[in-house]
């Protein structure tokens, strides 16, 4: 079964990344890709808001641009 990869492009707030990680964790998704987070990475606010989704945060992969983030995906 293919699991979706969630990609956030240039997220502005760590809280948004954390909320996304928490929702992903609730639904059994664990592949988060971040493209150039504005406030840098890692981000304390993202970790705080993730509330249980810390594994998603820990495994997030950072990319510089969209093309790099989708390079290994078959369906976009």
């Amino acid at each position: 079964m293919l699991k979706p990869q969630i990609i956030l492009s240039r997220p502005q707030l760590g809280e948004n990344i954390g909320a996304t990680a928490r929702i992903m964790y609730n639904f059994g998704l664990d592949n988060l890709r971040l493209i150039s987070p504005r406030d840098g990475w890692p981000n304390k606010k993202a970790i705080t808001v993730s509330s249980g989704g810390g594994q998603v945060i820990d495994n997030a992969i950072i990319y510089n641009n969209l093309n790099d983030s989708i390079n290994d995906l078959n369906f976009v």
Side-chain angles (χ1 to χ4, degrees):
M1 181 172 124
L2 297 175
K3 279 195 160 186
Q5 307 284 317
I6 305 301
I7 301 172
L8 297 180
S9 181
R10 296 182 300 154
Q12 295 185 16
L13 301 173
E15 292 91 332
N16 292 340
I17 299 169
T20 300
R22 182 179 65 232
I23 292 167
M24 290 175 62
Y25 176 76
N26 289 343
F27 287 92
L29 303 173
D30 53 9
N31 299 308
L32 178 61
R33 298 174 181 214
L34 303 172
I35 302 169
S36 300
R38 181 187 75 179
D39 292 340
W41 195 256
N43 185 293
K44 284 185 178 185
K45 291 181 181 178
I47 295 166
T48 301
V49 174
S50 69
S51 183
Q55 180 179 352
V56 175
I57 295 286
D58 292 342
N59 295 328
I61 301 171
I62 309 301
Y63 295 91
N64 291 321
N65 59 62
L66 178 64
N67 287 335
D68 289 345
S69 73
I70 63 172
N71 190 38
D72 63 330
L73 302 178
N74 293 318
F75 300 102
V76 178

